[in-house]
């Protein structure tokens, strides 16, 4: 076809007179957007998350960038021949969802190890492990995952003895379903030097806890918090086979992210001694990375300060033009409430009969060490991603930011605290004062009445004020929502529904929740100039839904289907061929 200055609207008018429908116009024009990089999306309900123009009818994309947003007729009139028209048939178009706290690489790995029932019996675990032994017959370590730690301790009297009988010939480790515990056989505990703790009552490795039988003092094979990391590192050293294994797991995870309409993430794992950073870099180098990733590096409580800071400095990357950055530092302040390791201002329930030094929970770092790390990492350019579940843990994270602010007067870095199961009233105003973002996971399993009843056994009436996202939002605190996948559900749409329908503290407006999962996250991850809303000049990161989630009952949002996901204008998930 000879190129002329004829407008697209004139061509459309001409083909309509001979009965050709809109669905055939793209065939009538020249090449597809996959090769030309230019296309116009029409017949769509476009929610932009741009307060200046919340809704639009059409969006023009050129070379992965949004070049115009507005009324369909206006954009049809302005484009030239050579631009393909994508008719979405009335579907909803949103900026791609952004998830600032998940464990994509670990989720992928967990799909390929021996995945056990969360709450099984001794007989069930014996059968599941026996099946997996055949699959892992050639591995130097046996690895499993998915077990609920409380259910395990109620089911099996001595996990170490149980595993020793099933797997006597090599180290074996089973990871829990929340990332805060593991159980191991004798060979595994010996491999990392943990059997020495049997002769040292009351002594634990830095940032971790080793469980002992309360009557005999013998190790049970159960470890908590950072103590599990030595087992993980020993089981999965960065050999070529293990890195290849992790890479395959990451590719599986990336597919699931695309299927859920997620285009930007922050992976909160960051276990660099296992070669995890290299796995992400490989995905980018092989052009298989299908998200914008601002990932974390995990800070180990049991490594020397200067050595670890040097390692972080070497591994830091923050090029805004690349898909992959390592500009986050993941710091665990405390553990979790359901293991009585979340740090509290007031003690756990007396019925738990905790040792005196653990009655207010557990800390990964001494306060002074925590403060020194945050100041040093901030100087290197890292945003700190604090894990804190208890109110004292949240308060200490804010204290660390206060200390860093005094040390680094010219700082311009926004940190965040994730989880925040409990927040003390006196700390609420400090978030705004320190410009700290709150990061909540309000999945159905985190907000239902069963969870609150269960945690009441640990913290009593304080469970009534669990995860006070609405209160903090009304106090003007900046907020994002994340999944913590694979500890929680991944689906952004299920999360939207959960936030709007939870019994206590529900949000009122779908628009507010969408913003917390798009533009607010983009600001946190330092790319709001490029993503988070559908505006001229931003990147074409989109998700297409089969229904308008602002126009249906909120209890139906979780069942809405993602029909396409685009990153930089290119489809990364498109089973119906909407953009082909």
């Amino acid at each position: 076809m000879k190129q002329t200055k004829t407008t697209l609207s004139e061509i459309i008018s001409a083909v309509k007179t001979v009965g050709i429908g809109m669905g055939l116009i793209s065939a009538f024009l020249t090449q597809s957007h996959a090769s030309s990089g230019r296309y116009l999306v029409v017949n769509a309900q476009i929610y932009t998350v741009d307060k200046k123009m919340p809704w639009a009818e059409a969006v023009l994309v050129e070379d992965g960038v949004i070049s115009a947003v507005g009324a369909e007729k206006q954009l049809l009139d302005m484009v030239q021949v050579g631009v393909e028209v994508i008719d979405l048939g009335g579907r909803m178009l949103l900026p791609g969802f952004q998830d600032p706290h998940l464990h994509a690489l670990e989720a992928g790995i967990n799909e390929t190890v021996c995945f056990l029932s969360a709450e099984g019996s001794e007989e069930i675990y014996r059968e599941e492990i026996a099946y997996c032994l055949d699959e892992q017959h050639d591995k130097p370590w046996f690895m499993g995952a998915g077990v609920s730690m409380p259910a395990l301790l109620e089911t099996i009297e001595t996990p170490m003895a149980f595993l020793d009988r099933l797997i006597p010939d090599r180290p074996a480790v089973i990871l829990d379903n929340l990332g805060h515990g593991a159980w191991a056989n004798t060979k595994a505990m010996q491999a990392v030097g943990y059997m020495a703790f049997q002769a040292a009552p009351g002594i634990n490795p830095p940032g971790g806890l080793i469980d002992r039988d309360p009557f005999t003092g013998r190790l049970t094979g159960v470890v908590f918090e950072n103590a599990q990391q030595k087992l993980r590192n020993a089981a999965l050293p960065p050999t070529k086979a293990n890195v290849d294994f992790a890479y395959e797991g990451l590719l599986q995870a990336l597919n699931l992210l695309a299927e859920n309409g997620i285009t930007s993430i922050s992976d909160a794992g960051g276990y660099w001694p296992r070669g995890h950073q290299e796995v992400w870099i490989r995905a980018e180098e092989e052009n298989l990375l299908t998200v914008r990733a601002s990932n974390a590096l995990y800070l180990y409580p049991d490594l020397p300060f200067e050595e670890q800071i040097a390692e972080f400095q070497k591994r830091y990357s923050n090029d805004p033009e690349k898909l992959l950055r390592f500009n986050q530092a993941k710091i665990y302040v405390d553990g979790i409430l359901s293991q009585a390791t979340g740090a509290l201002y007031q003690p756990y329930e007396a019925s738990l009969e905790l040792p005196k030094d653990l009655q207010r929970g557990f800390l990964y770092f001494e306060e002074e060490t925590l403060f020194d790390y945050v100041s040093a990492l901030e100087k290197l350019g890292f945003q700190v991603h604090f894990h804190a579940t208890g109110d004292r843990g949240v308060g200490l994270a804010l204290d660390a930011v206060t200390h860093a602010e005094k040390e680094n007067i010219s700082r311009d870095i926004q940190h965040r605290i994730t989880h925040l199961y409990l927040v003390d009233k006196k700390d609420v105003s400090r978030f705004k004062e320190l410009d700290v973002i709150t990061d909540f996971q309000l999945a159905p399993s985190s907000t239902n009445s069963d969870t609150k009843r269960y945690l009441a056994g640990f913290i009593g009436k304080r469970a009534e004020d669990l995860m006070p996202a609405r209160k903090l939002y009304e106090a003007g605190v900046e907020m994002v929502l994340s999944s913590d996948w694979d500890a929680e559900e991944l689906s952004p749409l299920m999360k939207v529904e959960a936030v709007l329908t939870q019994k206590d503290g529900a949000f009122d407006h779908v628009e507010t929740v969408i913003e917390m999962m798009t533009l607010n996250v983009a600001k946190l991850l330092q790319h709001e100039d490029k993503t988070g809303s559908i505006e001229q000049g931003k990147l074409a990161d989109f998700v297409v839904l089969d229904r308008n989630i602002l126009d249906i009952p909120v209890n139906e949002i979780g069942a809405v289907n993602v029909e396409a996901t685009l990153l930089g204008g290119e489809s990364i998930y498109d089973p119906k061929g909407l953009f082909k």
Side-chain angles (χ1 to χ4, degrees):
M1 180 185 296
K2 183 179 179 181
Q3 297 287 340
T4 70
K5 292 185 178 180
T6 306
T7 65
L8 186 58
S9 58
E10 290 175 316
I11 294 176
I12 292 171
S13 176
V15 297
K16 280 183 176 179
T17 62
V18 294
I20 301 177
M22 283 291 292
L24 296 179
I25 290 178
S26 60
F28 183 81
L29 298 174
T30 56
Q31 52 198 350
S32 74
H33 78 274
S35 56
S36 69
R38 305 176 69 218
Y39 59 93
L40 177 67
V41 176
V42 299
N43 192 16
Q45 300 179 71
I46 303 173
Y47 185 64
T48 67
V49 196
D50 174 12
K51 287 182 170 58
K52 299 188 297 294
M53 185 175 64
W55 290 94
E57 297 175 336
V59 56
L60 179 63
V61 175
E62 300 187 74
D63 298 322
V65 178
I66 300 166
S67 59
V69 184
E72 185 173 304
K73 184 179 184 306
Q74 177 188 16
L75 267 62
L76 284 169
D77 286 343
M78 67 181 282
V79 299
Q80 301 293 315
V81 172
V83 176
E84 184 181 6
V85 174
I86 307 291
D87 186 334
L88 286 188
R91 294 173 175 87
M92 186 179 199
L93 184 75
L94 283 165
F97 292 116
Q98 304 198 19
D99 194 328
H101 179 110
L102 48 66
H103 301 268
L105 181 52
E106 290 172 281
I109 292 172
N110 287 346
E111 288 295 316
T112 54
V113 301
C114 181
F115 208 75
L116 305 178
S117 302
E119 299 186 15
S121 64
E122 184 171 342
E123 181 181 352
I124 289 173
Y125 290 139
R126 186 181 294 109
E127 291 176 356
E128 290 177 338
I129 290 172
Y131 175 80
C132 294
L133 278 169
D134 290 336
E135 292 187 328
Q136 297 190 26
H137 69 277
D138 59 340
K139 305 291 185 184
W141 279 63
F142 176 87
M143 282 205 71
V147 173
S148 167
M149 195 63 67
L152 167 73
L153 295 174
E154 293 170 4
T155 303
I156 299 171
E157 183 179 353
T158 309
M160 184 188 292
F162 176 71
L163 283 179
D164 282 347
R165 288 195 300 271
L166 292 178
I167 314 169
D169 59 336
R170 55 182 159 150
V173 59
I174 310 291
L175 309 175
D176 80 339
N177 60 344
L178 297 177
H180 287 262
W183 46 303
N185 67 359
T186 300
K187 284 188 176 296
M189 298 289 276
Q190 289 172 336
V192 296
Y194 283 168
M195 290 307 296
F197 286 96
Q198 190 156 275
I203 305 299
N204 289 290
L209 295 168
I210 306 289
D211 188 55
R212 297 166 173 86
D213 185 286
F215 301 106
T216 67
R218 296 183 65 82
L219 304 189
T220 65
V222 177
V223 302
F224 297 102
E225 303 306 338
N226 186 69
Q228 64 174 310
Q229 298 301 341
K230 265 196 172 182
L231 290 164
R232 290 178 181 239
N233 290 353
L236 292 171
T239 62
K240 183 180 186 306
N242 285 337
V243 171
D244 288 346
F245 172 71
Y247 185 63
E248 292 301 317
L250 175 60
L251 296 184
Q252 290 185 42
L254 291 174
N255 288 336
L256 286 171
L257 293 173
E259 290 172 14
N260 281 275
I262 298 168
T263 55
S264 286
I265 66 161
S266 181
D267 190 279
Y271 301 111
W272 45 274
R274 297 175 215 157
H276 285 190
Q277 186 177 26
E278 288 71 23
V279 168
W280 283 96
I281 292 170
R282 176 179 168 187
E284 183 180 42
E285 290 177 344
E286 296 183 1
N287 295 318
L288 294 176
L289 187 59
T290 52
V291 290
R292 304 187 194 282
S294 296
N295 289 349
L297 299 173
Y298 177 79
L299 194 76
Y300 287 86
D302 52 343
L303 292 182
F305 182 94
E306 296 297 339
E307 174 186 316
Q308 193 158 208
I309 288 297
E311 196 71 47
F312 271 59
Q313 183 174 19
K314 180 178 69 176
R315 293 174 178 274
Y316 176 80
S317 64
N318 194 27
D319 184 346
E321 301 305 316
K322 300 187 71 174
L323 286 178
L324 179 63
R325 296 181 285 171
F326 286 91
N327 57 0
Q328 310 279 317
K330 180 68 181 295
I331 298 181
Y332 280 73
V333 180
D334 63 0
I336 54 178
L337 299 181
S338 59
Q339 287 180 179
T341 52
L344 304 179
Y345 283 127
Q346 299 301 321
Y348 282 88
E349 292 295 285
S351 60
L352 296 176
E353 299 181 352
L354 298 169
K356 187 175 181 180
D357 61 334
L358 293 177
Q359 288 176 1
R360 293 199 302 141
F362 175 80
L363 296 175
Y364 271 58
F365 298 89
E366 296 289 337
E367 288 186 28
E368 185 177 349
T369 304
L370 174 67
F371 294 174
D372 288 345
Y373 264 124
V374 173
S375 295
L377 290 167
E378 189 178 90
K379 287 177 183 176
L380 294 179
F382 282 95
Q383 288 181 281
V384 178
H385 180 168
F386 292 99
H387 165 110
T389 62
D391 49 13
R392 184 164 66 111
V394 171
L396 280 172
L398 294 169
D399 290 345
V401 175
T402 300
H403 179 268
E405 189 175 58
K406 293 176 182 177
E407 292 283 310
N408 308 325
I409 297 175
S410 62
R411 79 177 183 98
D412 186 25
I413 294 179
Q414 192 171 38
H415 306 301
R416 45 100 171 239
I417 304 175
T418 191
H419 302 312
L420 306 111
Y421 272 71
L422 293 174
V423 179
D424 193 273
K425 290 180 181 179
K426 71 176 183 295
D427 287 328
V428 170
S429 62
R430 300 175 68 198
F431 288 96
K432 288 184 67 175
E433 292 167 6
L434 296 167
D435 196 24
V436 171
I437 286 183
T438 56
D439 172 15
F440 283 93
Q441 298 83 40
L442 301 177
S445 58
S446 301
T447 58
N448 61 34
S449 57
D450 289 341
T451 299
K452 292 185 177 182
R453 276 195 299 270
Y454 177 69
L455 290 179
F458 292 82
I459 58 175
K461 292 183 179 180
R462 286 169 287 184
E464 296 173 4
D465 294 319
L466 213 60
M467 304 184 81
R470 177 67 182 263
K471 290 180 181 179
L472 288 172
Y473 175 76
E474 291 175 347
V477 176
E478 287 191 65
M479 190 171 298
V480 297
L481 299 177
S482 61
S483 68
D484 200 14
W485 179 62
D486 64 336
E488 299 284 0
E489 298 92 341
L490 176 62
S491 168
L493 293 163
M494 287 180 62
K495 186 166 34 181
V496 173
E497 180 178 321
V499 173
L500 294 164
T501 58
Q502 60 183 316
K503 185 176 179 181
D504 300 312
F507 285 85
D508 298 324
H509 303 292
V510 181
E511 296 91 335
T512 300
V513 180
I514 291 173
E515 189 170 352
M516 291 178 184
M517 298 165 62
T518 54
L519 191 58
N520 285 12
V521 184
K523 179 181 179 183
L524 167 66
L525 300 183
Q526 306 175 82
H527 60 187
E528 73 273 18
D529 59 326
K530 292 178 168 48
T531 72
S533 60
I534 299 176
E535 298 181 63
Q536 184 178 9
K538 288 194 174 184
L539 297 168
D541 293 358
F542 301 144
V543 58
V544 178
L545 307 179
D546 66 348
R547 285 181 285 167
N548 183 344
I549 61 174
L550 281 84
D551 196 32
I552 61 175
V554 292
N555 60 1
E556 296 180 10
I557 293 176
V560 168
N561 294 313
V562 172
E563 299 215 323
T565 307
L566 290 90
L567 183 76
E570 294 293 330
S571 57
I572 54 175
Y573 174 71
D574 189 9
K576 294 188 176 180
L578 299 175
F579 289 82
K580 296 177 182 176

